[in-house]
Amino acid sequence: MSNGSSPALLDASGRVAFVTGATGGIGQAVVRMMLDAGAQVAATGRRAVPFDDENVLPLTLEVTDENAVSSAVQSCVEKFGRLDYVIHMAGMVGKGRLDEMPLEDWNTVVNTNLTSSFLLLKHAYKHIAKPGGVAVLCGSSNGYNGGSYLSGAAYASSKAALVNLTRYSAKEWAPDGIRVHLISPGPVDTPMLDRLSDDQHEGLKDALPLGHYATADECAGAVLFLCSTHAASMTGTNTNISSGLVLDS
Ligand SMILES: NC(=O)c1ccc[n+]([C@@H]2O[C@H](COP(=O)([O-])OP(=O)(O)OC[C@H]3O[C@@H](n4cnc5c(N)ncnc54)[C@H](OP(=O)(O)O)[C@@H]3O)[C@@H](O)[C@H]2O)c1
C-alpha cells in the first residue's frame, strides 16, 4: 500500500556509478544527472571526459579492450569503495549497404556495441552491489525495426542482440538482486547525428509521429528512473525512447 510520499527520481547519495560514453551526448547527460542525484561517478571515454569535479573519477577507456575494461572497473572500486550503477552509453554507428560492408567494419561496430556490453557486465559482476546493483545498456530503435543504410546492418544487428543480452543477464542475476535494463532511443540530438545531411534530418523528423528528436537529458532521465527504487520490480526491460517511431515492439 502506498504511503502517499513522492520520492525524488533517484537518491544516489552514497552510491557509485560507472559510466561509459561520458564524452558523448547521452553519457555526459547521465554523468551530470548522477552527480545531481548525489552519486560519485567513474566517467569514461576515449577522449578526455569534460568533468572537473571531486566526485568524478575521469578514466580513459577503450570499451572493446577486455583488460582495459577490467582495470577501469577496478579503479572505480578502489577510488570509491563500491559500485552500484553500471551505465554503458558508449557506442558507434556503421553505414552503407550490407552487400558492400567490409568484414572489418562489421567487427568494429559489433565489438563496440555488443561485445563491449558483455565485457563490462562480466567485469562489473564481481563488484556490483548485491542486492541493489543496476546495469543499463544502450540499444536503439534500429534494434527493433531493422534500421537502414544510415547506420548499417552491424548497428541494427548489434543493438537487437543487446535486447537478449539484457534479458539473459537480468535472469541470471535476479537471484543476486541485480537488475539489468536496456534503453532503446530513436534519433537523439547528440553528435552522433552530425553525420546526417539536412535532407536526411528532415526525412527522419518526418518519420517521427511526435515530430522531434529525443534529447540526451530525456535518455539520462530514463536511465536514472531505471536505477531508482521506482523501478525496483523491473528488470530485463527495453525502454523505447523513439518519439513514436517504433510503436509495435
Ligand atoms: N544519438 C542517437 O541518435 C542515438 C540513437 C539511438 C541510440 N543511440 C545510442 O546512444 C549511445 C550514446 O550515443 P550518443 O548519442 O551519446 O553519441 P555520441 O555523442 O557520438 O557519443 C558516443 C560515445 O561513445 C564513445 N565510444 C565510441 N566508441 C568507443 C570505444 N570503442 N571505446 C570507448 N568509447 C567509445 C565515444 O567516446 P569518444 O568520443 O571519447 O571516442 C562517445 O563518448 C550509443 O550507444 C548510441 O548507439 C544514439
Side-chain angles (χ1 to χ4, degrees), residues 2-33:
S2 167
N3 64 9
S5 69
S6 173
L9 180 57
L10 174 69
D11 177 3
S13 43
R15 302 280 192 260
V16 174
F18 183 98
V19 181
T20 71
T23 50
I26 298 175
Q28 272 187 57
V30 170
V31 173
R32 274 198 307 274
M33 282 196 194

PDB file of all heavy atoms in Angstrom, residues 2-33:
ATOM      1  N   SER A   2       0.500   2.250  -0.786  1.00  0.00           N
ATOM      2  CA  SER A   2       1.298   3.482  -0.883  1.00  0.00           C
ATOM      3  C   SER A   2       1.217   4.264   0.414  1.00  0.00           C
ATOM      4  O   SER A   2       0.179   4.298   1.072  1.00  0.00           O
ATOM      5  CB  SER A   2       0.748   4.332  -2.021  1.00  0.00           C
ATOM      6  OG  SER A   2       1.280   5.616  -1.937  1.00  0.00           O
ATOM      7  N   ASN A   3       2.349   4.907   0.788  1.00  0.00           N
ATOM      8  CA  ASN A   3       2.288   5.798   1.948  1.00  0.00           C
ATOM      9  C   ASN A   3       2.061   7.235   1.497  1.00  0.00           C
ATOM     10  O   ASN A   3       2.133   8.162   2.289  1.00  0.00           O
ATOM     11  CB  ASN A   3       3.549   5.677   2.808  1.00  0.00           C
ATOM     12  CG  ASN A   3       4.786   6.133   2.072  1.00  0.00           C
ATOM     13  OD1 ASN A   3       4.680   6.698   0.980  1.00  0.00           O
ATOM     14  ND2 ASN A   3       5.938   5.891   2.656  1.00  0.00           N
ATOM     15  N   GLY A   4       1.839   7.419   0.187  1.00  0.00           N
ATOM     16  CA  GLY A   4       1.480   8.741  -0.320  1.00  0.00           C
ATOM     17  C   GLY A   4       2.653   9.661  -0.551  1.00  0.00           C
ATOM     18  O   GLY A   4       2.489  10.744  -1.096  1.00  0.00           O
ATOM     19  N   SER A   5       3.894   9.255  -0.173  1.00  0.00           N
ATOM     20  CA  SER A   5       5.024  10.161  -0.386  1.00  0.00           C
ATOM     21  C   SER A   5       5.519  10.029  -1.824  1.00  0.00           C
ATOM     22  O   SER A   5       5.242   9.046  -2.508  1.00  0.00           O
ATOM     23  CB  SER A   5       6.153   9.847   0.591  1.00  0.00           C
ATOM     24  OG  SER A   5       6.726   8.613   0.255  1.00  0.00           O
ATOM     25  N   SER A   6       6.259  11.015  -2.288  1.00  0.00           N
ATOM     26  CA  SER A   6       6.720  11.025  -3.674  1.00  0.00           C
ATOM     27  C   SER A   6       8.221  11.267  -3.697  1.00  0.00           C
ATOM     28  O   SER A   6       8.653  12.412  -3.787  1.00  0.00           O
ATOM     29  CB  SER A   6       5.964  12.114  -4.437  1.00  0.00           C
ATOM     30  OG  SER A   6       6.496  12.251  -5.725  1.00  0.00           O
ATOM     31  N   PRO A   7       9.031  10.189  -3.601  1.00  0.00           N
ATOM     32  CA  PRO A   7      10.476  10.399  -3.557  1.00  0.00           C
ATOM     33  C   PRO A   7      11.008  10.959  -4.867  1.00  0.00           C
ATOM     34  O   PRO A   7      10.386  10.824  -5.914  1.00  0.00           O
ATOM     35  CB  PRO A   7      11.028   8.986  -3.297  1.00  0.00           C
ATOM     36  CG  PRO A   7       9.944   8.049  -3.645  1.00  0.00           C
ATOM     37  CD  PRO A   7       8.651   8.783  -3.545  1.00  0.00           C
ATOM     38  N   ALA A   8      12.174  11.634  -4.774  1.00  0.00           N
ATOM     39  CA  ALA A   8      12.810  12.175  -5.982  1.00  0.00           C
ATOM     40  C   ALA A   8      13.072  11.045  -6.962  1.00  0.00           C
ATOM     41  O   ALA A   8      13.059   9.866  -6.596  1.00  0.00           O
ATOM     42  CB  ALA A   8      14.108  12.848  -5.576  1.00  0.00           C
ATOM     43  N   LEU A   9      13.365  11.401  -8.214  1.00  0.00           N
ATOM     44  CA  LEU A   9      13.593  10.388  -9.249  1.00  0.00           C
ATOM     45  C   LEU A   9      14.625   9.372  -8.778  1.00  0.00           C
ATOM     46  O   LEU A   9      14.385   8.166  -8.829  1.00  0.00           O
ATOM     47  CB  LEU A   9      14.066  11.078 -10.537  1.00  0.00           C
ATOM     48  CG  LEU A   9      14.360  10.160 -11.721  1.00  0.00           C
ATOM     49  CD1 LEU A   9      13.150   9.321 -12.075  1.00  0.00           C
ATOM     50  CD2 LEU A   9      14.819  10.973 -12.923  1.00  0.00           C
ATOM     51  N   LEU A  10      15.785   9.845  -8.324  1.00  0.00           N
ATOM     52  CA  LEU A  10      16.816   8.931  -7.808  1.00  0.00           C
ATOM     53  C   LEU A  10      17.578   9.629  -6.697  1.00  0.00           C
ATOM     54  O   LEU A  10      18.111  10.722  -6.901  1.00  0.00           O
ATOM     55  CB  LEU A  10      17.787   8.543  -8.934  1.00  0.00           C
ATOM     56  CG  LEU A  10      19.000   7.704  -8.505  1.00  0.00           C
ATOM     57  CD1 LEU A  10      18.567   6.293  -8.074  1.00  0.00           C
ATOM     58  CD2 LEU A  10      20.032   7.605  -9.631  1.00  0.00           C
ATOM     59  N   ASP A  11      17.622   8.985  -5.529  1.00  0.00           N
ATOM     60  CA  ASP A  11      18.528   9.447  -4.467  1.00  0.00           C
ATOM     61  C   ASP A  11      19.751   8.547  -4.522  1.00  0.00           C
ATOM     62  O   ASP A  11      19.702   7.397  -4.103  1.00  0.00           O
ATOM     63  CB  ASP A  11      17.841   9.352  -3.105  1.00  0.00           C
ATOM     64  CG  ASP A  11      18.796   9.756  -1.979  1.00  0.00           C
ATOM     65  OD1 ASP A  11      19.952  10.148  -2.274  1.00  0.00           O
ATOM     66  OD2 ASP A  11      18.392   9.653  -0.804  1.00  0.00           O
ATOM     67  N   ALA A  12      20.849   9.090  -5.059  1.00  0.00           N
ATOM     68  CA  ALA A  12      22.054   8.277  -5.255  1.00  0.00           C
ATOM     69  C   ALA A  12      23.144   8.655  -4.261  1.00  0.00           C
ATOM     70  O   ALA A  12      24.316   8.351  -4.491  1.00  0.00           O
ATOM     71  CB  ALA A  12      22.558   8.441  -6.682  1.00  0.00           C
ATOM     72  N   SER A  13      22.757   9.315  -3.149  1.00  0.00           N
ATOM     73  CA  SER A  13      23.808   9.666  -2.196  1.00  0.00           C
ATOM     74  C   SER A  13      24.402   8.389  -1.601  1.00  0.00           C
ATOM     75  O   SER A  13      23.672   7.435  -1.283  1.00  0.00           O
ATOM     76  CB  SER A  13      23.273  10.593  -1.106  1.00  0.00           C
ATOM     77  OG  SER A  13      22.026  10.140  -0.673  1.00  0.00           O
ATOM     78  N   GLY A  14      25.741   8.354  -1.513  1.00  0.00           N
ATOM     79  CA  GLY A  14      26.420   7.157  -1.025  1.00  0.00           C
ATOM     80  C   GLY A  14      26.552   6.076  -2.076  1.00  0.00           C
ATOM     81  O   GLY A  14      27.061   4.989  -1.794  1.00  0.00           O
ATOM     82  N   ARG A  15      26.106   6.351  -3.289  1.00  0.00           N
ATOM     83  CA  ARG A  15      26.161   5.354  -4.368  1.00  0.00           C
ATOM     84  C   ARG A  15      27.228   5.745  -5.395  1.00  0.00           C
ATOM     85  O   ARG A  15      27.604   6.912  -5.516  1.00  0.00           O
ATOM     86  CB  ARG A  15      24.815   5.254  -5.091  1.00  0.00           C
ATOM     87  CG  ARG A  15      23.668   4.888  -4.169  1.00  0.00           C
ATOM     88  CD  ARG A  15      23.643   3.388  -3.908  1.00  0.00           C
ATOM     89  NE  ARG A  15      22.420   2.986  -3.273  1.00  0.00           N
ATOM     90  CZ  ARG A  15      22.276   2.762  -1.975  1.00  0.00           C
ATOM     91  NH1 ARG A  15      23.297   2.923  -1.151  1.00  0.00           N
ATOM     92  NH2 ARG A  15      21.122   2.370  -1.478  1.00  0.00           N
ATOM     93  N   VAL A  16      27.665   4.745  -6.148  1.00  0.00           N
ATOM     94  CA  VAL A  16      28.731   4.948  -7.130  1.00  0.00           C
ATOM     95  C   VAL A  16      28.275   4.439  -8.499  1.00  0.00           C
ATOM     96  O   VAL A  16      27.786   3.311  -8.617  1.00  0.00           O
ATOM     97  CB  VAL A  16      30.018   4.214  -6.695  1.00  0.00           C
ATOM     98  CG1 VAL A  16      31.079   4.297  -7.782  1.00  0.00           C
ATOM     99  CG2 VAL A  16      30.540   4.802  -5.377  1.00  0.00           C
ATOM    100  N   ALA A  17      28.472   5.290  -9.501  1.00  0.00           N
ATOM    101  CA  ALA A  17      28.111   4.917 -10.886  1.00  0.00           C
ATOM    102  C   ALA A  17      29.372   4.821 -11.736  1.00  0.00           C
ATOM    103  O   ALA A  17      30.303   5.621 -11.584  1.00  0.00           O
ATOM    104  CB  ALA A  17      27.170   5.965 -11.481  1.00  0.00           C
ATOM    105  N   PHE A  18      29.372   3.854 -12.632  1.00  0.00           N
ATOM    106  CA  PHE A  18      30.434   3.713 -13.643  1.00  0.00           C
ATOM    107  C   PHE A  18      29.762   3.985 -14.976  1.00  0.00           C
ATOM    108  O   PHE A  18      28.837   3.266 -15.366  1.00  0.00           O
ATOM    109  CB  PHE A  18      31.005   2.294 -13.586  1.00  0.00           C
ATOM    110  CG  PHE A  18      32.145   2.060 -14.541  1.00  0.00           C
ATOM    111  CD1 PHE A  18      33.458   2.138 -14.098  1.00  0.00           C
ATOM    112  CD2 PHE A  18      31.912   1.750 -15.870  1.00  0.00           C
ATOM    113  CE1 PHE A  18      34.523   1.920 -14.971  1.00  0.00           C
ATOM    114  CE2 PHE A  18      32.962   1.533 -16.743  1.00  0.00           C
ATOM    115  CZ  PHE A  18      34.275   1.613 -16.297  1.00  0.00           C
ATOM    116  N   VAL A  19      30.206   5.027 -15.680  1.00  0.00           N
ATOM    117  CA  VAL A  19      29.513   5.451 -16.900  1.00  0.00           C
ATOM    118  C   VAL A  19      30.483   5.436 -18.078  1.00  0.00           C
ATOM    119  O   VAL A  19      31.544   6.070 -18.025  1.00  0.00           O
ATOM    120  CB  VAL A  19      28.939   6.883 -16.738  1.00  0.00           C
ATOM    121  CG1 VAL A  19      28.205   7.312 -18.010  1.00  0.00           C
ATOM    122  CG2 VAL A  19      28.011   6.971 -15.533  1.00  0.00           C
ATOM    123  N   THR A  20      30.134   4.732 -19.150  1.00  0.00           N
ATOM    124  CA  THR A  20      30.929   4.799 -20.389  1.00  0.00           C
ATOM    125  C   THR A  20      30.261   5.793 -21.349  1.00  0.00           C
ATOM    126  O   THR A  20      29.089   6.141 -21.185  1.00  0.00           O
ATOM    127  CB  THR A  20      31.035   3.435 -21.095  1.00  0.00           C
ATOM    128  OG1 THR A  20      29.763   3.102 -21.664  1.00  0.00           O
ATOM    129  CG2 THR A  20      31.506   2.335 -20.151  1.00  0.00           C
ATOM    130  N   GLY A  21      31.037   6.250 -22.313  1.00  0.00           N
ATOM    131  CA  GLY A  21      30.487   7.217 -23.274  1.00  0.00           C
ATOM    132  C   GLY A  21      30.321   8.595 -22.664  1.00  0.00           C
ATOM    133  O   GLY A  21      29.532   9.406 -23.152  1.00  0.00           O
ATOM    134  N   ALA A  22      31.109   8.887 -21.604  1.00  0.00           N
ATOM    135  CA  ALA A  22      30.938  10.148 -20.870  1.00  0.00           C
ATOM    136  C   ALA A  22      31.495  11.352 -21.625  1.00  0.00           C
ATOM    137  O   ALA A  22      31.384  12.486 -21.154  1.00  0.00           O
ATOM    138  CB  ALA A  22      31.574  10.044 -19.483  1.00  0.00           C
ATOM    139  N   THR A  23      32.101  11.128 -22.791  1.00  0.00           N
ATOM    140  CA  THR A  23      32.468  12.237 -23.672  1.00  0.00           C
ATOM    141  C   THR A  23      31.379  12.489 -24.702  1.00  0.00           C
ATOM    142  O   THR A  23      31.454  13.462 -25.453  1.00  0.00           O
ATOM    143  CB  THR A  23      33.780  11.906 -24.423  1.00  0.00           C
ATOM    144  OG1 THR A  23      33.648  10.603 -24.998  1.00  0.00           O
ATOM    145  CG2 THR A  23      34.969  11.903 -23.470  1.00  0.00           C
ATOM    146  N   GLY A  24      30.383  11.621 -24.764  1.00  0.00           N
ATOM    147  CA  GLY A  24      29.320  11.738 -25.767  1.00  0.00           C
ATOM    148  C   GLY A  24      28.082  12.397 -25.182  1.00  0.00           C
ATOM    149  O   GLY A  24      27.996  12.687 -23.981  1.00  0.00           O
ATOM    150  N   GLY A  25      27.100  12.622 -26.039  1.00  0.00           N
ATOM    151  CA  GLY A  25      25.916  13.368 -25.636  1.00  0.00           C
ATOM    152  C   GLY A  25      25.148  12.709 -24.505  1.00  0.00           C
ATOM    153  O   GLY A  25      24.883  13.337 -23.463  1.00  0.00           O
ATOM    154  N   ILE A  26      24.772  11.444 -24.676  1.00  0.00           N
ATOM    155  CA  ILE A  26      23.914  10.796 -23.669  1.00  0.00           C
ATOM    156  C   ILE A  26      24.719  10.491 -22.402  1.00  0.00           C
ATOM    157  O   ILE A  26      24.263  10.740 -21.277  1.00  0.00           O
ATOM    158  CB  ILE A  26      23.262   9.522 -24.249  1.00  0.00           C
ATOM    159  CG1 ILE A  26      22.355   9.891 -25.439  1.00  0.00           C
ATOM    160  CG2 ILE A  26      22.451   8.798 -23.177  1.00  0.00           C
ATOM    161  CD1 ILE A  26      21.739   8.708 -26.173  1.00  0.00           C
ATOM    162  N   GLY A  27      25.947   9.977 -22.568  1.00  0.00           N
ATOM    163  CA  GLY A  27      26.770   9.659 -21.399  1.00  0.00           C
ATOM    164  C   GLY A  27      27.049  10.876 -20.533  1.00  0.00           C
ATOM    165  O   GLY A  27      26.998  10.799 -19.293  1.00  0.00           O
ATOM    166  N   GLN A  28      27.335  12.009 -21.174  1.00  0.00           N
ATOM    167  CA  GLN A  28      27.570  13.242 -20.400  1.00  0.00           C
ATOM    168  C   GLN A  28      26.340  13.623 -19.588  1.00  0.00           C
ATOM    169  O   GLN A  28      26.437  14.034 -18.431  1.00  0.00           O
ATOM    170  CB  GLN A  28      27.876  14.413 -21.339  1.00  0.00           C
ATOM    171  CG  GLN A  28      29.332  14.556 -21.678  1.00  0.00           C
ATOM    172  CD  GLN A  28      29.583  15.833 -22.468  1.00  0.00           C
ATOM    173  OE1 GLN A  28      29.268  16.924 -22.013  1.00  0.00           O
ATOM    174  NE2 GLN A  28      30.148  15.683 -23.651  1.00  0.00           N
ATOM    175  N   ALA A  29      25.181  13.497 -20.208  1.00  0.00           N
ATOM    176  CA  ALA A  29      23.933  13.844 -19.504  1.00  0.00           C
ATOM    177  C   ALA A  29      23.720  12.904 -18.318  1.00  0.00           C
ATOM    178  O   ALA A  29      23.278  13.330 -17.244  1.00  0.00           O
ATOM    179  CB  ALA A  29      22.750  13.777 -20.465  1.00  0.00           C
ATOM    180  N   VAL A  30      24.068  11.627 -18.493  1.00  0.00           N
ATOM    181  CA  VAL A  30      23.928  10.678 -17.378  1.00  0.00           C
ATOM    182  C   VAL A  30      24.872  11.076 -16.233  1.00  0.00           C
ATOM    183  O   VAL A  30      24.471  11.087 -15.065  1.00  0.00           O
ATOM    184  CB  VAL A  30      24.229   9.228 -17.833  1.00  0.00           C
ATOM    185  CG1 VAL A  30      24.317   8.290 -16.632  1.00  0.00           C
ATOM    186  CG2 VAL A  30      23.163   8.739 -18.806  1.00  0.00           C
ATOM    187  N   VAL A  31      26.116  11.422 -16.565  1.00  0.00           N
ATOM    188  CA  VAL A  31      27.063  11.808 -15.503  1.00  0.00           C
ATOM    189  C   VAL A  31      26.520  13.020 -14.747  1.00  0.00           C
ATOM    190  O   VAL A  31      26.500  13.035 -13.507  1.00  0.00           O
ATOM    191  CB  VAL A  31      28.466  12.111 -16.095  1.00  0.00           C
ATOM    192  CG1 VAL A  31      29.386  12.665 -15.006  1.00  0.00           C
ATOM    193  CG2 VAL A  31      29.071  10.855 -16.713  1.00  0.00           C
ATOM    194  N   ARG A  32      26.064  14.034 -15.480  1.00  0.00           N
ATOM    195  CA  ARG A  32      25.554  15.252 -14.822  1.00  0.00           C
ATOM    196  C   ARG A  32      24.388  14.914 -13.896  1.00  0.00           C
ATOM    197  O   ARG A  32      24.339  15.356 -12.745  1.00  0.00           O
ATOM    198  CB  ARG A  32      25.087  16.270 -15.870  1.00  0.00           C
ATOM    199  CG  ARG A  32      26.189  17.166 -16.405  1.00  0.00           C
ATOM    200  CD  ARG A  32      25.596  18.398 -17.082  1.00  0.00           C
ATOM    201  NE  ARG A  32      24.606  18.043 -18.093  1.00  0.00           N
ATOM    202  CZ  ARG A  32      24.898  17.749 -19.365  1.00  0.00           C
ATOM    203  NH1 ARG A  32      26.141  17.790 -19.783  1.00  0.00           N
ATOM    204  NH2 ARG A  32      23.933  17.437 -20.208  1.00  0.00           N
ATOM    205  N   MET A  33      23.465  14.094 -14.375  1.00  0.00           N
ATOM    206  CA  MET A  33      22.288  13.782 -13.548  1.00  0.00           C
ATOM    207  C   MET A  33      22.654  12.909 -12.361  1.00  0.00           C
ATOM    208  O   MET A  33      22.079  13.046 -11.280  1.00  0.00           O
ATOM    209  CB  MET A  33      21.215  13.093 -14.398  1.00  0.00           C
ATOM    210  CG  MET A  33      20.447  14.061 -15.258  1.00  0.00           C
ATOM    211  SD  MET A  33      18.919  13.306 -15.861  1.00  0.00           S
ATOM    212  CE  MET A  33      18.497  14.500 -17.131  1.00  0.00           C
TER     213      MET A  33
END
